[in-house]
Amino acid sequence: MLLTEMNKAQLEEFKAECEKAYEAYKAKGLKLNMARGKPGADQLDITMPMLDVLNSSSDLTSEDGTDVRNYGGLTGIPEAKKLFAEMLGVSPEEIIVGGNASLSLMYDSVARAMTHGVLGSEKPWCKLDKVKFLCPAPGYDRHFSICENFGIEMITIPMLETGPDMDMIEKLVAEDDSVKGIWCVPMYSNPDGITYSDETVRRFANLSPKAKDFRIFWDNAYCVHHLTDTPDTLLNIFDECKKTGKEDMVFEFASTSKISFPGAGVAVMAASKANIAQIEKILGIQYISYDKINQLRHVRYFKNFDGIKAKMEEHRAIIAPKFKLVLDTLEKELAPLGVGEWHNPNGGYFISVNTLNGCAKRVVSLCKEAGVVLTGAGATFPYKNDPNDRNIRIAPTYPPLNELEIAINLFCLCVKLASAEKLLAE
Amino acid sequence: MLLTEMNKAQLEEFKAECEKAYEAYKAKGLKLNMARGKPGADQLDITMPMLDVLNSSSDLTSEDGTDVRNYGGLTGIPEAKKLFAEMLGVSPEEIIVGGNASLSLMYDSVARAMTHGVLGSEKPWCKLDKVKFLCPAPGYDRHFSICENFGIEMITIPMLETGPDMDMIEKLVAEDDSVKGIWCVPMYSNPDGITYSDETVRRFANLSPKAKDFRIFWDNAYCVHHLTDTPDTLLNIFDECKKTGKEDMVFEFASTSKISFPGAGVAVMAASKANIAQIEKILGIQYISYDKINQLRHVRYFKNFDGIKAKMEEHRAIIAPKFKLVLDTLEKELAPLGVGEWHNPNGGYFISVNTLNGCAKRVVSLCKEAGVVLTGAGATFPYKNDPNDRNIRIAPTYPPLNELEIAINLFCLCVKLASAEKLLAE
């Protein structure tokens, strides 16, 4: 029976049962975490052999003769550029291989725009009265934090099944030259797990922004992070932009954080040669080079893009059962009651649950009180403001399966309890 | 006989001999480089065993239980903080352990000041009409490039035997609240190899800047890079500042770039707890963590500060003979002619030569034409403008000893030739 169809007495009884079960959970003294998209220890274990590929007898010379131990090689060693160029479908000349964090490549790209502007800027963005970014939401909280950090005004764009609302985006970028950028996670979006449709990608490649220095921040964090035999496919944004002559409009980012090690992976940025020339001048003031030994370690270990794909199959074997457990539990516990909606993603790191309106904060708070940490309610929206207070991001990868089972059952219970409270208060 | 005491005929003859010798060098088709402070391959070889300390069977848990492979640990793992705290004579709470480049820690510190200000700033520096930095010179070209990059006006401060001219510094910081910072390489300064005297350090700790957000950028790049049995000693700037209650005034930087690997070392920043609290908030938007596996690799390899000191003895054994060769050659070739002055540094990476006024550019150009690359003349001054055109930075570490011998002899020849040309033109 749907919760919304219950009468007051039924709801009271339902709530009382939930409360009793909830007290039992609280008595367990749980300490579980489904807050961040962190790989579990078992996922990190599968990449441990990478630590053996370079040792004291290794030749640490890169393809172009560079001693990777020494200074130099600002934009990365050639073999790393090739590897990531293949992964992202661009040429090695369109690649900058960074340090261990794509987040810092993104932050630094915005920071450089603030202090210097991008290619085509008339002045640094910090000299403008107002800079605005479009923020498809639910989205990635750390993208929004970068905007807040630099005082960039965020405009929420609704996410549809095909990606962000392109009608709204086309209109806003065409009308307002203070709109300088948009954050996109085009494949297995954080948190919805939506992959942008071909039409959406083509419409991005066809954007005609009023601002000559508008940039699409294409955070392709989950480009190889498939979870099924029938993965989503994403059009190559650079291929599409080359057709429209607008390839300067895109900064693409990715990393091996969820391929090798989150704390010691290799990040990468793809951009047009003209953009890279502009970036390189400033980057050369900030860095002499990123960690080239770690770049070489990654290339020698993965060898090529097939090596990366093979590793992702290993990850899938570990995390697909976790996603299945969460989705099965949601289906079993929440679907019959009609108190939640979610996507069934084909990849990525998250399951995005929408509760009844006005319940998300209460659910997160109930979970926390019983020892299960979730991403803060609202975090998936600009200014942490979910207008309907309904979106919760579940990150199933970090806890071991047995802990995850407890956590997701508690979560469902909290959704039920919060929903009953909500309906009774109406 | 001093060149300045020669008559015209003697000078003409001297010059002709130099030209003949120079043509002979040119015929050799040399390709040598004394431009950058790069360790030689033999120096990098001594740290190769570091690549064996972590392997696929290592426990990658840090002292506080963090899995260093995963996300988290923004300011560094505890054991790395301890190691560098000992090296810099501060507490672990005053340490941020970074990525592979202290240059980026410095750049990012200035960038943050531009976009956010530092602790005590009334507004971000980019919102001010003018920001000025004091630049002791000769100094490190990459410091000056950071200023140029952000449009910060540079004021040249002369270097004395005791460090920068403190009278001038005290006056400028007290008078002008647009003076927001100063670049210092306090130990074995780049390029002079001068270590600041105790009085100089104490005067720094006693500065009373008009700008409440003035910062001393204390780049202690060569803090353990001794070359003799009687190394220089440097007062601990934080100890002195704690006496005056001005510890918020200092950002200190160091790295293992010239201890382990330039391309894959670990950089570190020391600052007061109040400064670190301000920095951490913004740093947490840019990074989730730096590369913690590489931090652990360094700690497990060096074990403690004694391990670092022992490694520096190995470096000294390789590079002290290079410094001796250069200094002996300068002494033999230039001293009797009175056409150059230089310091005899007890550590660091450079030998700074002052030619007769107006000769440096010519010397660098002559060397280049004969196949020996030097740091560009003027690079050691703000805006690449050496007012006397006389300072040349020699970096003796990178070439093998046999190549260095050729390069430094050619250099001396070019100084002689340029000096003769100069004196004849007067």
Side-chain angles (χ1 to χ4, degrees):
Chain A
M1 185 180 189
L2 293 178
L3 221 59
T4 48
E5 290 174 358
M6 288 185 185
N7 62 31
K8 202 183 162 202
Q10 287 170 316
L11 272 174
E12 291 284 9
E13 192 190 333
F14 179 85
K15 179 168 160 257
E17 277 166 27
C18 290
E19 278 166 345
K20 197 176 154 196
Y22 180 71
E23 290 308 316
Y25 269 104
K26 267 176 78 175
K28 290 180 204 234
L30 300 174
K31 266 197 155 175
L32 305 174
N33 194 313
M34 293 196 296
R36 304 295 322 176
K38 282 172 81 166
D42 42 0
Q43 287 179 268
L44 307 178
D45 289 343
I46 63 174
T47 306
M48 287 300 282
M50 179 187 276
L51 298 178
D52 299 328
V53 299
L54 296 186
N55 59 45
S56 57
S57 31
S58 300
D59 177 4
L60 296 184
T61 312
S62 76
E63 277 179 16
D64 64 353
T66 302
D67 185 334
V68 300
R69 302 170 302 178
N70 221 325
Y71 291 114
L74 177 63
T75 56
I77 59 172
E79 48 267 66
K81 288 187 188 184
K82 266 186 224 168
L83 175 65
F84 293 118
E86 200 187 343
M87 182 171 97
L88 298 177
V90 297
S91 76
E93 296 74 36
E94 292 165 315
I95 288 283
I96 293 175
V97 189
N100 73 318
S102 61
L103 183 67
S104 73
L105 290 181
M106 291 186 265
Y107 176 101
D108 287 357
S109 295
V110 176
R112 273 192 305 270
M114 294 305 290
T115 56
H116 293 77
V118 300
L119 182 72
S121 292
E122 278 172 23
K123 47 172 105 171
W125 292 359
C126 73
K127 300 287 185 196
L128 303 172
D129 292 334
K130 176 135 339 236
V131 176
K132 298 176 192 164
F133 262 50
L134 308 183
C135 299
Y140 180 32
D141 55 346
R142 293 188 192 272
H143 289 161
F144 305 153
S145 298
I146 291 175
C147 282
E148 271 200 272
N149 177 71
F150 289 109
I152 294 172
E153 185 180 318
M154 292 181 271
I155 300 172
T156 300
I157 306 290
M159 278 293 286
L160 313 175
E161 289 301 319
T162 51
D165 182 337
M166 293 308 297
D167 292 343
M168 194 170 164
I169 291 169
E170 283 164 353
K171 189 162 174 292
L172 285 166
V173 303
E175 277 173 2
D176 184 351
D177 67 358
S178 68
V179 173
K180 296 294 189 188
I182 182 167
W183 290 112
C184 297
V185 181
M187 188 153 207
Y188 306 132
S189 69
N190 177 350
D192 284 328
I194 290 170
T195 298
Y196 293 9
S197 72
D198 291 357
E199 193 203 342
T200 295
V201 177
R202 287 199 186 99
R203 286 174 75 177
F204 267 111
N206 272 291
L207 283 182
S208 294
K210 193 166 179 196
K212 295 303 161 221
D213 53 353
F214 174 83
R215 286 295 177 277
I216 299 166
F217 286 72
W218 198 252
D219 182 3
N220 211 346
Y222 308 107
C223 56
V224 292
H225 301 60
H226 311 298
L227 287 170
T228 71
D229 288 330
T230 50
D232 295 351
T233 55
L234 175 72
L235 278 189
N236 182 327
I237 183 78
F238 279 105
D239 285 352
E240 297 308 312
C241 280
K242 282 166 192 169
K243 291 177 197 165
T244 60
K246 296 184 179 183
E247 64 264 40
D248 290 344
M249 199 166 55
V250 183
F251 289 161
E252 184 171 9
F253 304 92
S255 80
T256 70
S257 291
K258 293 179 180 90
I259 301 173
S260 60
F261 298 121
V266 174
V268 60
M269 176 173 184
S272 71
K273 288 176 207 169
N275 274 326
I276 284 188
Q278 187 263 348
I279 291 165
E280 208 174 336
K281 269 186 214 160
I282 307 166
L283 191 65
I285 310 295
Q286 185 183 17
Y287 279 95
I288 302 174
S289 79
Y290 290 100
D291 183 340
K292 298 187 299 297
I293 291 186
N294 204 35
Q295 291 177 11
L296 189 66
R297 185 180 287 118
H298 275 71
V299 179
R300 294 250 175 109
Y301 178 64
F302 287 119
K303 294 188 175 67
N304 50 44
F305 186 35
D306 283 337
I308 288 179
K309 286 189 277 192
K311 177 62 65 187
M312 295 316 294
E313 286 298 317
E314 293 183 64
H315 283 293
R316 178 185 158 193
I318 296 170
I319 65 177
K322 296 184 176 180
F323 276 77
K324 185 174 184 312
L325 171 68
V326 168
L327 290 164
D328 286 352
T329 310
L330 293 173
E331 192 61 36
K332 176 167 162 267
E333 298 292 327
L334 301 186
L337 299 166
V339 292
E341 292 175 346
W342 52 90
H343 290 93
N344 193 333
N346 285 320
Y349 258 67
F350 304 101
I351 292 162
S352 172
V353 176
N354 283 327
T355 64
L356 300 183
N357 284 355
C359 289
K361 277 187 192 155
R362 177 66 178 151
V363 169
V364 171
S365 150
L366 283 167
C367 281
K368 192 177 173 191
E369 217 181 306
V372 171
V373 179
L374 298 172
T375 311
T380 53
F381 282 79
Y383 308 107
K384 300 191 172 52
N385 178 24
D386 175 358
N388 298 306
D389 183 27
R390 65 172 187 178
N391 188 250
I392 300 176
R393 183 182 82 165
I394 292 179
T397 54
Y398 186 65
L401 211 48
N402 60 330
E403 294 185 5
L404 183 65
E405 188 173 1
I406 301 170
I408 190 61
N409 274 290
L410 173 67
F411 170 80
C412 289
L413 178 63
C414 294
V415 173
K416 290 182 209 175
L417 178 50
S419 304
E421 288 171 352
K422 175 79 195 325
L423 292 170
L424 280 164
E426 272 173 1
Chain B
M1 187 181 190
L2 295 178
L3 220 61
T4 49
E5 288 174 358
M6 287 186 186
N7 62 31
K8 202 184 165 202
Q10 287 169 316
L11 272 175
E12 292 282 10
E13 192 190 331
F14 178 86
K15 179 168 161 257
E17 277 167 26
C18 289
E19 279 167 344
K20 199 178 153 194
Y22 180 71
E23 290 307 317
Y25 269 103
K26 268 175 79 172
K28 291 182 205 232
L30 300 175
K31 266 196 155 176
L32 306 174
N33 194 313
M34 292 196 295
R36 304 293 326 174
K38 280 172 82 165
D42 41 1
Q43 288 178 267
L44 307 179
D45 289 343
I46 63 174
T47 305
M48 287 299 281
M50 180 188 278
L51 298 179
D52 299 329
V53 299
L54 296 187
N55 59 47
S56 57
S57 33
S58 300
D59 176 4
L60 296 184
T61 312
S62 76
E63 277 179 15
D64 64 353
T66 302
D67 185 334
V68 301
R69 302 171 300 178
N70 221 325
Y71 290 115
L74 178 63
T75 56
I77 60 173
E79 49 266 66
K81 287 187 187 183
K82 268 185 222 167
L83 175 65
F84 293 118
E86 200 187 342
M87 182 171 98
L88 297 177
V90 297
S91 76
E93 296 74 34
E94 293 166 315
I95 288 283
I96 293 174
V97 189
N100 74 318
S102 61
L103 182 67
S104 73
L105 290 181
M106 293 186 264
Y107 175 102
D108 287 357
S109 295
V110 176
R112 271 192 306 270
M114 294 304 288
T115 55
H116 293 77
V118 300
L119 182 71
S121 293
E122 279 172 24
K123 47 172 106 170
W125 293 0
C126 73
K127 300 288 184 196
L128 302 172
D129 291 334
K130 179 145 318 249
V131 175
K132 298 175 191 165
F133 262 50
L134 307 183
C135 298
Y140 180 32
D141 54 348
R142 292 188 192 270
H143 289 163
F144 305 153
S145 298
I146 290 174
C147 283
E148 272 199 274
N149 178 71
F150 289 109
I152 295 172
E153 185 180 316
M154 292 181 271
I155 301 171
T156 301
I157 307 290
M159 278 293 286
L160 313 176
E161 289 301 319
T162 51
D165 183 336
M166 293 309 296
D167 292 343
M168 196 170 163
I169 291 169
E170 284 163 352
K171 190 163 176 291
L172 285 167
V173 301
E175 278 174 1
D176 184 352
D177 67 359
S178 69
V179 173
K180 297 292 189 188
I182 182 167
W183 290 112
C184 297
V185 182
M187 188 151 208
Y188 306 131
S189 68
N190 176 351
D192 283 329
I194 290 170
T195 299
Y196 292 10
S197 71
D198 292 356
E199 194 202 340
T200 295
V201 177
R202 288 198 186 101
R203 287 174 75 177
F204 267 110
N206 273 291
L207 283 181
S208 294
K210 193 167 179 195
K212 295 304 161 218
D213 54 351
F214 174 84
R215 286 295 178 275
I216 300 166
F217 286 73
W218 198 252
D219 182 4
N220 211 347
Y222 308 108
C223 56
V224 291
H225 302 61
H226 311 299
L227 287 169
T228 72
D229 289 331
T230 51
D232 294 352
T233 55
L234 175 72
L235 279 190
N236 183 326
I237 183 78
F238 279 106
D239 285 351
E240 296 308 311
C241 280
K242 282 165 193 171
K243 291 178 196 164
T244 60
K246 297 185 179 183
E247 64 264 39
D248 290 344
M249 199 165 56
V250 182
F251 288 162
E252 183 171 10
F253 304 92
S255 80
T256 70
S257 292
K258 294 180 178 91
I259 300 173
S260 59
F261 298 120
V266 173
V268 59
M269 175 172 185
S272 71
K273 288 175 208 170
N275 273 324
I276 284 188
Q278 187 263 348
I279 291 165
E280 210 174 334
K281 269 186 215 158
I282 307 165
L283 191 64
I285 310 295
Q286 184 183 17
Y287 279 95
I288 303 174
S289 80
Y290 290 101
D291 183 340
K292 298 188 300 296
I293 291 186
N294 203 35
Q295 292 177 10
L296 189 66
R297 185 181 286 118
H298 275 72
V299 179
R300 295 248 175 109
Y301 179 64
F302 287 121
K303 296 186 175 69
N304 50 43
F305 186 35
D306 282 339
I308 288 180
K309 286 190 276 193
K311 178 61 64 185
M312 295 317 294
E313 285 299 316
E314 292 183 65
H315 283 295
R316 177 185 158 192
I318 295 169
I319 66 176
K322 294 183 176 180
F323 276 77
K324 184 174 186 309
L325 171 67
V326 168
L327 290 163
D328 286 352
T329 309
L330 293 172
E331 191 62 36
K332 176 167 163 264
E333 297 293 327
L334 301 187
L337 299 166
V339 291
E341 291 175 347
W342 53 90
H343 290 92
N344 193 333
N346 285 321
Y349 259 66
F350 302 102
I351 292 162
S352 172
V353 176
N354 284 327
T355 64
L356 299 182
N357 284 353
C359 289
K361 277 187 192 154
R362 177 66 178 150
V363 169
V364 171
S365 151
L366 282 166
C367 280
K368 191 177 175 190
E369 216 181 307
V372 171
V373 178
L374 297 171
T375 310
T380 53
F381 282 79
Y383 308 106
K384 298 190 171 55
N385 177 24
D386 175 357
N388 297 306
D389 184 26
R390 66 172 187 176
N391 187 251
I392 299 176
R393 184 182 82 164
I394 292 178
T397 55
Y398 187 65
L401 212 49
N402 60 331
E403 293 185 5
L404 182 66
E405 187 173 2
I406 300 170
I408 190 61
N409 273 290
L410 172 67
F411 171 80
C412 288
L413 178 64
C414 293
V415 173
K416 290 183 207 172
L417 177 51
S419 304
E421 287 171 352
K422 175 80 196 324
L423 292 169
L424 281 164
E426 271 172 3

